[in-house]
Amino acid sequence: MKLYDSPVAPNPRRVRVFLAEKGIVVPTEIVDLAKLEQKGSAFTAINPLQRIPVLELDSGEVLSESVAICRYFEEFHPDPPLFGRDGLEKARVEMWQRRAELEFFFPIALAFRHSHPAMKEMEKPQIGELVEPNRARAINFARFLDAELAKRPYLAGDFFSIADITAMVGADFARAARIVFPEDIPHFARWRAEVSARPSASA
């Protein structure tokens, strides 16, 4: 088994944080995104979509997409449960994971990809008009999260989950996208400080 990783991209970090929460160690191979190794023939043969992370199983089968990789590990290492413990919790986690991904993580990524000079060769064309609307979208969702986090400690309830991992990684990546969260969202700030203090956050 091997995980194709990058220390600079947010999606691989989601998997690293998840594995750290589980206490799972997987051999890794770094893909140099700056050198466009993900677009080379060797990596394209592994993942034709030229994206990371990728988990290559001992059987030779390849899994891509961050949450799919995390689900695979959840099946074999159910504790601590990061996708929920029963049917209702699993549904809540799925709901908040999707909300965090679609309304927060993706807008931050889009703002970064269409504004940062380092992405010029990866994002063709860079569309400057996409940057500010997506920055605003991310800030608006942070305000929405602030209201929700006034009711409970974590996104999906009283336990840390994959939804919190996605939102935390997105919030941290916001700096690279030059997104500054407002100061008047104390519950979001509390949640962010708490999840960032977990040992897995440094993965």
Side-chain angles (χ1 to χ4, degrees), residues 110-111 114-115 125-135:
L110 283 171
H114 288 280
S115 65
Q126 281 187 315
I127 303 171
E129 291 81 0
L130 291 176
V131 177
E132 289 308 320
N134 279 290
R135 285 177 177 157

Side-chain angles (χ1 to χ4, degrees), residues 64-83:
S64 63
E65 306 304 331
S66 304
V67 177
I69 293 170
C70 292
R71 283 191 181 277
Y72 175 82
F73 283 111
E74 180 87 355
E75 289 297 313
F76 296 100
H77 303 272
D79 294 315
L82 298 178
F83 280 90

Side-chain angles (χ1 to χ4, degrees), residues 18 20 46 62 89 95 112 122 142 168:
F18 187 92
I46 296 166
V62 167
E89 280 191 357
M95 176 178 74
F112 172 77
M122 297 186 211
M168 177 188 71

Side-chain angles (χ1 to χ4, degrees), residues 39-57:
K39 295 185 177 294
S41 58
F43 187 79
T44 300
I46 296 166
N47 183 7
L49 292 177
Q50 301 176 333
R51 297 172 187 161
I52 56 170
V54 169
L55 180 67
E56 187 173 37
L57 304 178

Side-chain angles (χ1 to χ4, degrees), residues 4-20:
Y4 291 87
D5 193 6
S6 165
V8 299
N11 275 307
R13 186 184 172 212
R14 286 203 277 174
V15 175
R16 292 197 306 273
V17 172
F18 187 92
L19 294 177

Side-chain angles (χ1 to χ4, degrees), residues 8 11 22 52 61 65 69 73 76 78-79 85 91-92 97 100 108 124 142 148 153 160 176 180:
V8 299
N11 275 307
K22 296 282 189 180
I52 56 170
E61 185 171 351
E65 306 304 331
I69 293 170
F73 283 111
F76 296 100
D79 294 315
R85 293 162 289 198
R92 287 192 191 117
Q97 152 59 28
I108 291 167
K124 291 184 176 181
E148 292 293 321
F160 183 82
V180 178

